[in-house]
Amino acid sequence: MTKKDKRFLETEVTKEAIRELNLDKKKIKTVRRGNGFKTFYYEEVDEELYFEVKRPEWVHEKRRYRLFEDERKGKLSIIYIDQVRIDDSDEEKANLEIPSNIDIERDAMEHLRDEALYEVLDKLDESERMLINLLFFNELTEREAAKQMGVSQKTVNNRKRKILEKLKTDLSDYSDMV
């Protein structure tokens, strides 16, 4: 493995685990995290294993970020546990009372739709994602995007059309769900 290809997986460990598993002390570091110190074991792995382990974590983090962004923008209402009142006076008929200004079904459908879109966007290659970002998230015109990418406006138009067709096809797989 070249220096560039080196990847390390981090695992939090206890002093007992270090002793019991006879872990190599050179691969253990204690670092400050939050309000205290935590001890981690760093294992060198190949790139394939690293991405296999880390990708689900990244997907989860990305989803959490999008969820909170949607709430911040008012596109979604997150119900926090302290907002829910439980009427358990009759245990057999215990009900959750959710604030009336929250439309759970609508919010869930919008969230599923957005998740499907983001999953499909994640499948695009780098240049396709960049073009979609410029046009739809940064709201540039085709001409402005073309100038930034160093291509003609016609090329941007053609690529956009192909990408949108690809997205439409890929999203049709999710149409039953949303």
Side-chain angles (χ1 to χ4, degrees):
M1 246 187 291
T2 66
K3 189 171 184 172
K4 181 183 167 199
D5 294 337
K6 278 188 178 182
R7 306 279 185 192
F8 293 90
L9 289 177
E10 171 185 89
T11 306
E12 188 174 357
V13 292
T14 62
K15 290 179 182 175
E16 294 80 25
I18 295 169
R19 259 194 320 278
E20 287 175 20
L21 299 171
N22 198 23
L23 298 175
D24 182 357
K25 300 222 187 292
K26 293 177 187 170
K27 296 181 176 182
I28 296 171
K29 292 182 183 168
T30 300
V31 295
R32 185 178 197 95
R33 293 273 168 95
N35 296 333
F37 291 91
K38 294 188 179 206
T39 304
F40 293 95
Y41 177 71
Y42 292 88
E43 182 68 33
E44 189 173 347
V45 295
D46 65 22
E47 195 172 295
E48 184 178 345
L49 178 60
Y50 178 80
F51 285 117
E52 184 179 325
V53 171
K54 298 302 273 183
R55 190 167 283 121
E57 291 177 28
W58 297 332
V59 167
H60 176 73
E61 283 302 312
K62 196 181 273 190
R63 284 185 175 155
R64 284 194 60 207
Y65 173 78
R66 289 178 185 146
L67 182 71
F68 288 113
E69 272 299 297
D70 286 350
E71 181 191 33
R72 189 182 63 76
K73 292 176 182 174
K75 294 169 57 179
L76 171 70
S77 300
I78 295 178
I79 302 172
Y80 295 94
I81 194 69
D82 59 343
Q83 290 179 288
V84 178
R85 216 176 80 232
I86 301 175
D87 177 11
D88 59 356
S89 55
D90 182 0
E91 286 185 27
E92 286 189 25
K93 296 179 181 174
N95 291 318
L96 291 179
E97 201 172 293
I98 296 170
S100 60
N101 65 333
I102 297 174
D103 184 349
I104 293 176
E105 190 173 329
R106 184 207 59 192
D107 288 349
M109 294 302 285
E110 287 179 4
H111 181 68
L112 287 172
R113 183 201 62 224
D114 291 350
E115 280 298 309
L117 176 61
Y118 285 122
E119 277 186 38
V120 170
L121 287 172
D122 285 342
K123 292 178 186 176
L124 296 176
D125 69 39
E126 188 74 27
S127 65
E128 291 171 329
R129 213 176 7 256
M130 185 175 104
L131 181 60
I132 292 299
N133 249 337
L134 292 173
L135 295 173
F136 296 101
F137 293 96
N138 296 350
E139 299 179 356
L140 297 182
T141 64
E142 286 182 5
R143 187 179 308 270
E144 292 167 331
K147 186 175 182 182
Q148 192 164 335
M149 295 174 72
V151 297
S152 71
Q153 184 266 327
K154 179 70 175 160
T155 301
V156 166
N157 181 277
N158 290 338
R159 284 184 187 170
K160 178 182 88 171
R161 206 168 8 88
K162 287 177 185 173
I163 295 167
L164 291 177
E165 193 57 45
K166 184 178 182 179
L167 291 174
K168 184 178 176 182
T169 302
D170 289 351
L171 280 171
S172 67
D173 296 341
Y174 294 93
S175 63
D176 295 336
M177 182 177 70
V178 180

